[in-house]
Amino acid sequence: MKIIYSIVILLSLSFTTFAQDIIRGVVVDAETKESLPYTNIILSNAKKGTVSNADGKFNLSLKNIDTSDTLVFSYGGYETVKVVIDKLPRNCQIALKPNIVNLEEVEVTDKQESVKDIIAKIEDNFEKNYVVEAPYKEKLYIHNYGITEFDDDILDPMLVKKSSFEGLNQETFDELKRVLPKEFINYNDAQVMLYHKEDEAKLSNLQAISLEESTASEAYDQMTEKFEGFVNDMESSFNDDEIYYRFKMGIISTKIRGDSTDTEDASDDFERDSTSYTVGTKYIRGGINELKKNYASLDNKNWEFVTKRGKYNYTLEGASMMDDDVVYIITFKPKNGGLFFGKMYVSTETFAVLQIDFEYAPNKEGRDIHLFGFGYTETFKKGRVLFEKSGDKYYVKYINAEEHTTFSVERSFALVKKQKRFFVDKTLNEIKIKFNIVADSKETKELLVLDRKDITEQSYDMVEEEEKMKFQKIVTTQDYIWEHGTVIEPTQELKAYKRKEITENK
């Protein structure tokens, strides 16, 4: 009995100790008490940190952290708050006071500078402020949540007009429609190390989890089962000099060619079982680099409010402090074809952007392509980017990107199996299908830099990137322990999310 009692006491002490290793809290406006989402939170000495989530909530692991260090809370247009960790309760509320001042009250190099001159200097100084050539490494937390919903009101999304292939008929596609989910969900989080050297990068996985990929996986299983014979026959034709397949769409007709080596290499990048799945590391690394390029760089169309100034109206709202920088507060809205409205905080000294918020203006859309029965429309886009200064350079600290798109297919296709002959090739089998599919996709991506350090070229060269990255399948993020410290606190909606089902592969 004493042994059981001792175990209970030890477990209780362990839990208490663990609970005390994390600070949790919420950041609010001191006047309105409304939460302040995506507040920048950083340790003054360690230069590590996090951000508050969309609900204004945050958590910070104190593992390997000096509790005499100071936690700095900064948000554009608000006074910065600094608190010694030792003096913070483990559940706290941080209140920030609004702080927008007249330009006459702060020291600015040129108070006669027009707002368009300031925007122009953002572009002129971008490379000087942001482009880093020396090698460095970043510890990142990445989050991705996406849902694609199909229009269920369409009665015949896949209509077989003709088929001489055995087992490929209208009944087959009707059954496929019945087993396919109405929505495809993808939900995964990861902590990784990303190593940089000039234009190169390498990725090392620390910990990765997935709450949902099963909807797509189950659909894939169903499709594989129903079309396995057809696919195998098509692949065998790639090594047959007499038999081949041809794809036809209207007046367009092309022979289907295959490279078995490429096919095997691609399939090897994606493997899964009942407890985990793997993805080619190059795809994760590429996704991170693409997110940074699209939301935190001039080398994309999203920052047109900086590079295409003739399309926008700008208003200089005043000035404020962000950390130790005096910043201009500039709002912008579209004219003459511009897409976005938003707000940016720009250093009065270096003309670097420290924080930017932008989204499609009302009744604005991005790319809208409708061609040959295919449709693709970017209906919504919203971004928030935070930068932090280290030395004389500015680095991405946090990106939150939300994108909505609609895509459609209303087109007939045909697949024809042919046998070569001297004059006219013989048609062995043919299937004609009309697709009428409409779907809406919503995706949220987050990237948080937890830590950043300079490294040598030799250190970079010694890093070996593994070919695959493994994601552990879990049921819920509630009480999930990240071994490598702080992540973004999940929103209340994501906390409530639970995996629908984990099933064994068949």
Side-chain angles (χ1 to χ4, degrees):
M1 191 71 182
K2 287 183 178 179
I3 294 175
I4 295 175
Y5 177 77
S6 299
I7 291 172
V8 170
I9 294 297
L10 286 171
L11 288 173
S12 300
L13 288 172
S14 299
F15 178 79
T16 303
T17 302
F18 172 74
Q20 290 176 344
D21 280 341
I22 297 178
I23 292 177
R24 300 184 188 276
V26 60
V27 186
V28 300
D29 183 303
E31 297 178 358
T32 67
K33 303 304 179 184
E34 293 182 357
S35 62
L36 294 177
Y38 316 120
T39 300
N40 194 9
I41 305 168
I42 190 167
L43 290 158
S44 182
N45 296 329
K47 300 301 181 186
K48 300 178 180 180
T50 184
V51 295
S52 62
N53 67 12
D55 301 326
K57 296 180 179 180
F58 69 93
N59 73 64
L60 182 71
S61 170
L62 298 182
K63 186 177 181 180
N64 301 322
I65 296 297
D66 181 358
T67 55
S68 66
D69 202 345
T70 300
L71 207 54
V72 181
F73 298 82
S74 61
Y75 192 96
Y78 286 78
E79 291 181 1
T80 297
V81 169
K82 300 180 180 181
V83 188
V84 176
I85 293 174
D86 276 336
K87 296 181 179 179
L88 269 178
R90 291 306 180 255
N91 284 285
C92 58
Q93 182 182 89
I94 305 297
L96 305 187
K97 296 179 180 179
N99 179 32
I100 300 178
V101 298
N102 191 290
L103 285 173
E104 299 299 324
E105 300 176 27
V106 296
E107 184 178 339
V108 178
T109 305
D110 184 359
K111 293 184 179 180
Q112 302 303 314
E113 204 155 34
S114 74
V115 65
K116 278 204 170 183
D117 289 337
I118 296 171
I119 302 298
K121 288 188 177 182
I122 294 174
E123 184 173 11
D124 294 342
N125 290 277
F126 195 88
E127 185 171 346
K128 175 184 175 183
N129 285 325
Y130 297 98
V131 176
V132 180
E133 295 181 353
Y136 65 97
K137 66 178 181 180
E138 295 176 306
K139 181 181 177 183
L140 305 177
Y141 167 74
I142 51 178
H143 165 74
N144 181 65
Y145 177 73
I147 179 169
T148 299
E149 297 179 279
F150 291 88
D151 188 344
D152 201 40
D153 292 333
I154 298 175
L155 297 178
D156 295 309
M158 297 172 285
L159 181 63
V160 178
K161 301 167 72 175
K162 172 184 178 181
S163 178
S164 59
F165 283 98
E166 184 178 354
L168 287 186
N169 49 38
Q170 187 63 55
E171 183 180 346
T172 306
F173 285 92
D174 287 344
E175 176 63 23
L176 179 62
K177 180 188 174 184
R178 282 193 291 271
V179 299
L180 286 176
K182 294 180 181 178
E183 58 184 27
F184 288 85
I185 300 172
N186 187 57
Y187 182 169
N188 53 65
D189 296 342
Q191 282 187 350
V192 300
M193 293 295 294
L194 188 63
Y195 300 83
H196 301 265
K197 186 178 77 170
E198 297 178 346
D199 294 331
E200 300 178 21
K202 297 178 183 178
L203 187 72
S204 175
N205 183 29
L206 298 175
Q207 192 171 357
I209 61 173
S210 172
L211 268 82
E212 196 64 71
E213 77 299 313
S214 60
T215 51
S217 300
E218 291 166 8
Y220 176 80
D221 287 343
Q222 294 283 353
M223 291 178 67
T224 300
E225 181 181 346
K226 293 186 178 301
F227 297 101
E228 184 176 13
F230 176 75
V231 172
N232 289 342
D233 186 67
M234 183 183 293
E235 289 180 350
S236 68
S237 72
F238 299 154
N239 300 313
D240 193 320
D241 294 333
E242 299 297 321
I243 306 296
Y244 66 93
Y245 277 79
R246 183 170 289 278
F247 173 80
K248 297 172 69 177
M249 182 180 70
I251 61 172
I252 300 172
S253 177
T254 182
K255 184 177 179 180
I256 299 175
R257 305 175 187 276
D259 186 321
S260 59
T261 303
D262 290 344
T263 304
E264 290 172 8
D265 288 346
S267 62
D268 285 346
D269 284 330
F270 303 93
E271 298 176 354
R272 60 194 174 87
D273 56 33
S274 60
T275 62
S276 65
Y277 71 94
T278 62
V279 179
T281 304
K282 61 185 177 182
Y283 300 108
I284 305 297
R285 171 170 40 79
I288 293 171
N289 291 335
E290 192 72 12
L291 182 62
K292 285 186 174 184
K293 177 182 175 182
N294 288 342
Y295 282 84
S297 168
L298 294 184
D299 189 23
N300 70 88
K301 294 181 179 180
N302 288 340
W303 278 46
E304 64 170 33
F305 40 79
V306 172
T307 59
K308 298 182 179 180
R309 295 177 286 279
K311 291 186 174 184
Y312 287 87
N313 287 319
Y314 303 92
T315 302
L316 185 56
E317 302 287 352
S320 186
M321 294 291 298
M322 287 192 69
D323 296 332
D324 297 324
D325 276 313
V326 180
V327 294
Y328 295 113
I329 303 175
I330 299 172
T331 57
F332 54 90
K333 58 184 180 180
K335 68 168 186 176
N336 300 333
L339 291 175
F340 300 96
F341 75 96
K343 181 185 291 187
M344 65 180 87
Y345 299 82
V346 183
S347 169
T348 60
E349 181 182 354
T350 63
F351 298 97
V353 176
L354 277 72
Q355 178 179 318
I356 191 163
D357 298 274
F358 61 92
E359 67 178 278
Y360 283 159
N363 302 316
K364 294 286 186 177
E365 294 179 337
R367 285 181 294 178
D368 186 21
I369 303 169
H370 294 272
L371 192 65
F372 301 126
F374 294 91
Y376 175 83
T377 305
E378 296 172 341
T379 57
F380 178 84
K381 183 175 289 186
K382 182 178 182 180
R384 165 167 285 200
V385 187
L386 303 179
F387 296 91
E388 63 181 358
K389 190 175 184 180
S390 178
D392 61 350
K393 294 290 185 179
Y394 294 83
Y395 298 80
V396 171
K397 168 66 182 293
Y398 175 72
I399 299 175
N400 182 288
E402 186 177 351
E403 299 177 357
H404 299 179
T405 56
T406 298
F407 60 90
S408 60
V409 180
E410 188 175 3
R411 184 81 195 194
S412 294
F413 304 89
L415 274 175
V416 186
K417 183 179 180 181
K418 294 266 191 177
Q419 182 179 26
K420 290 182 180 179
R421 293 199 303 188
F422 186 74
F423 289 109
V424 179
D425 292 350
K426 181 181 179 181
T427 296
L428 300 177
N429 299 98
E430 182 177 7
I431 182 171
K432 291 183 179 179
I433 311 173
K434 183 178 181 180
F435 287 92
N436 186 13
I437 298 172
V438 178
D440 292 309
S441 177
K442 299 178 181 179
E443 187 170 27
T444 299
K445 298 178 182 179
E446 290 183 280
L447 180 151
L448 172 65
V449 179
L450 301 167
D451 194 12
R452 182 184 293 105
K453 291 180 180 178
D454 292 334
I455 59 174
T456 64
E457 286 196 19
Q458 183 180 14
S459 296
Y460 176 87
D461 294 338
M462 290 176 64
V463 175
E464 293 187 8
E465 181 179 273
E466 295 186 357
E467 290 185 5
K468 301 173 186 177
M469 181 166 161
K470 186 176 182 178
F471 286 80
Q472 176 192 357
K473 295 180 181 181
I474 67 171
V475 175
T476 175
T477 57
Q478 296 257 19
D479 302 321
Y480 182 79
I481 299 174
W482 289 90
E483 298 173 6
H484 300 275
T486 299
V487 298
I488 301 172
E489 179 78 5
T491 62
Q492 203 61 39
E493 180 182 8
L494 292 181
K495 274 186 175 182
Y497 190 92
K498 290 187 177 182
R499 174 184 289 274
K500 291 179 175 59
E501 185 180 4
I502 298 179
T503 56
E504 295 285 343
N505 290 337
K506 297 178 179 180

